[in-house]
Amino acid sequence: MKLTSLAFALNAFNLAAAWPTFDIWSRGSKTPGLEGFALDNPIGPTTGGKGAKPITVTSADELLTAVRGDTPKIIYLEGEYHPSGRLRPGSHTTILGKGKGANIIGEGISLINATNVIIRNVGIRFVTGDDGMNIQNTMRVWVDHCEFESQISLELGPDYYDGQLDIVRASDWITVSNNYFHDHWKVSLVGNSDVLREVDIGHLHITYHHNYWRNLGTRGPAGRFGHQHIYNNLYEDFLYQAIHSRSDNQVLVEGNKFIGNTPIALDTYGLVIPEDSPNTCVCGDEELDGFANLGAKNDFGKSLVNITQVGDFTKAPYKYSLTPLKKVEKVVRENVGLGKIKV
Ligand SMILES: *[C@@H]1O[C@H](CO)[C@@H](O)[C@H](O)[C@H]1NC(C)=O
Ligand SMILES: *[C@@H]1O[C@H](CO)[C@@H](O)[C@H](O)[C@H]1NC(C)=O
C-alpha cells in the first residue's frame, strides 16, 4: 500500500466511526482495500456477503453451520475456535475476525465449487490432515490480513502439514493480500498436478501482494497453468524455491524484497525438487518449465533467480498501487496479519 493510500484509508476509517457498527460496506460499491484479480475480473468484484445482516458466532459448532449455504452472509468471529471438522463456506460469504483477529486452530477451511468469498483478519493455525485453506473450483476469493502458522522442522519433514493456502482445480480471480505466512514447509500451491492441464489451463489468475512470507520451505507460491501477479511481498528465509513457475504457468514478479537466507527467489525450471514433492522419486519430478516476467524492480538480495523462459504476462490488466521498493519491507511488516484492519 502506498503511504498516500494508507493515509486515505485511515481517514476513511475515521469518517466511518460514526457510521453503524461493522457496516464496512456502506462506503462505496467497491470493497475497500481490495485490488487485483478479485476486484477486476470478467465476473465482477468480490463482495462476499454484502447486504446481509452481520451475525457473530461464538462457538465452533455455530461457526461450522453458519458458513454453509449460498445465501449472502457476513459472519464475525471473536476469540478462538477449535472446530471438530473443516469449515465449508458456501458462496456469497464474508468471514471477518473482530478486533485483534480471531483464530481457528487445528482445522482449516475448504472452499469448493463456490463463488464470491471474503476471509479477513483470521488466523489459521496448526492444521493437520489437509491444507490450512484449500480453494477448489472456486471463483472470486479475497484472503486478506490473515495469518497462517504451523511449524517447520526437518524431523517432521515436508508432509506433516499439508499446504497453507492451496488454490487448485480451475479456481480463478483471487487476491491474497496482507497475509502473514510463517513457519511452514509447503506454503501456497497453485495447480496441484501437471496432469491437470485440461482442467487448469486458462484459470488460476491470482494476485499476491503485500504478504510477508517467513521461515518456510517452498511454494511462495508454486504455480502451474495459470497467471499470478506477485508484487510488493516480503520474503525472509525460504529453504528451497520461494516463487516457482512451472508447467507453462506465468508469473509477473515486481517490487518484491528478499532477505535472510533464501537461496532461490524465483525459478521457472520444471524440475520439482524432491523436498517439494517428496512422494516422487529422489531425483525430483520433471515437468515443463514455466515463464517469469519481471515488472517493476525487485530486490532479490543474494537469492538466485533462474528464469528459463520469459513469457507475455508483462503487465497486470488492472490498476493497482505499487509501494516503492525502498518502503516495501517496512510497509509489509507494519501491515500484515491480524489486528490491522478496523472490524
Ligand atoms: C464440485 O463439483 C464437481 C463437478 O461438478 C462435483 O463432482 C463435486 O462433487 C462437487 N463437490 C462438492 C463438494 O460439492
Ligand atoms: C536453473 O535452470 C537450469 C535449466 O536451465 C537447471 O539446469 C538448473 O538446475 C536450475 N537451477 C535451479 C536452482 O533450479
Side-chain angles (χ1 to χ4, degrees), residues 16 55 72 94 142 156 164 190 198 229 269 283 292-293 299 305 324:
I55 60 161
T94 297
W142 186 26
L156 292 179
Q164 276 187 324
V190 175
E198 296 305 315
H229 181 205
Y269 185 43
C283 54
N293 309 279
D299 180 352
V305 174

Side-chain angles (χ1 to χ4, degrees), residues 174-188:
I174 293 170
T175 296
V176 176
S177 53
N178 306 297
N179 300 289
Y180 182 21
F181 297 100
H182 62 103
D183 300 294
H184 191 88
W185 203 299
K186 302 182 295 183
V187 195
S188 189

Side-chain angles (χ1 to χ4, degrees), residues 7-316:
F8 173 79
L10 292 173
N11 216 351
F13 285 135
N14 290 341
L15 290 175
W19 294 19
T21 329
F22 302 133
D23 186 3
I24 64 163
W25 305 116
S26 11
R27 277 177 227 139
S29 55
K30 293 269 178 72
T31 307
L34 174 59
E35 55 187 41
F37 284 120
L39 177 65
D40 292 304
N41 63 68
I43 310 174
T46 303
T47 54
K50 182 179 176 177
K53 186 169 181 291
I55 60 161
T56 300
V57 294
T58 52
S59 75
D61 286 345
E62 260 185 280
L63 173 60
L64 284 170
T65 311
V67 297
R68 299 196 74 119
D70 295 334
T71 38
K73 53 202 158 312
I74 299 176
I75 300 159
Y76 287 104
L77 272 55
E78 214 169 17
E80 208 171 285
Y81 300 79
H82 296 260
S84 56
R86 290 179 72 77
L87 269 64
R88 290 283 313 277
S91 299
H92 314 298
T93 302
T94 297
I95 300 174
L96 287 166
K98 278 189 187 173
K100 289 190 179 350
N103 288 287
I104 301 174
I105 322 277
E107 292 284 350
I109 302 178
S110 293
L111 298 175
I112 305 174
N113 302 344
T115 183
N116 196 19
V117 178
I118 296 176
I119 301 176
R120 304 180 75 195
N121 207 26
V122 176
I124 296 166
R125 302 177 199 271
F126 304 103
V127 176
T128 48
D130 202 335
D131 303 320
M133 194 181 297
N134 184 287
I135 303 176
Q136 300 178 37
N137 188 35
T138 290
M139 316 297 135
R140 295 189 297 162
V141 182
W142 186 26
V143 181
D144 178 69
H145 283 98
C146 289
E147 182 175 341
F148 295 82
E149 172 189 18
S150 61
Q151 193 183 5
I152 185 164
S153 99
L154 294 169
E155 277 149 55
L156 292 179
D159 276 344
Y160 184 79
Y161 297 96
D162 207 336
Q164 276 187 324
L165 172 55
D166 285 6
I167 303 173
V168 304
R169 306 283 164 147
S171 291
D172 224 341
W173 316 120
I174 293 170
T175 296
V176 176
S177 53
N178 306 297
N179 300 289
Y180 182 21
F181 297 100
H182 62 103
D183 300 294
H184 191 88
W185 203 299
K186 302 182 295 183
V187 195
S188 189
L189 181 64
V190 175
N192 62 332
S193 172
D194 63 334
V195 304
L196 292 173
R197 174 178 292 270
E198 296 305 315
V199 174
D200 285 338
I201 196 115
H203 302 286
L204 302 169
H205 292 86
I206 305 165
T207 305
Y208 287 89
H209 74 89
H210 294 91
N211 301 289
Y212 181 22
W213 313 73
R214 189 191 61 79
N215 196 30
L216 299 157
T218 69
R219 308 184 181 173
R224 293 186 174 99
F225 304 120
H227 288 73
Q228 297 91 46
H229 181 205
I230 302 168
Y231 66 92
N232 288 153
N233 295 275
L234 175 63
Y235 293 87
E236 182 171 16
D237 298 335
F238 259 77
L239 288 174
Y240 304 102
Q241 289 116 323
I243 301 170
H244 192 191
S245 182
R246 59 204 187 195
S247 282
D248 291 333
N249 186 72
Q250 298 226 16
V251 287
L252 170 56
V253 178
E254 51 181 350
N256 300 287
K257 189 168 169 85
F258 294 78
I259 59 175
N261 181 22
T262 300
I264 307 171
L266 168 60
D267 200 348
T268 60
Y269 185 43
L271 186 87
V272 181
I273 53 160
E275 292 80 358
D276 185 277
S277 211
N279 301 325
T280 62
C281 75
V282 287
C283 54
D285 187 2
E286 188 81 56
E287 56 186 83
L288 294 177
D289 288 8
F291 299 87
N293 309 279
L294 300 178
K297 192 177 187 310
N298 297 277
D299 180 352
F300 290 114
K302 297 192 202 90
S303 311
L304 178 81
V305 174
N306 197 14
I307 299 177
T308 59
Q309 302 186 117
V310 174
D312 59 8
F313 180 38
T314 52
K315 205 172 172 303

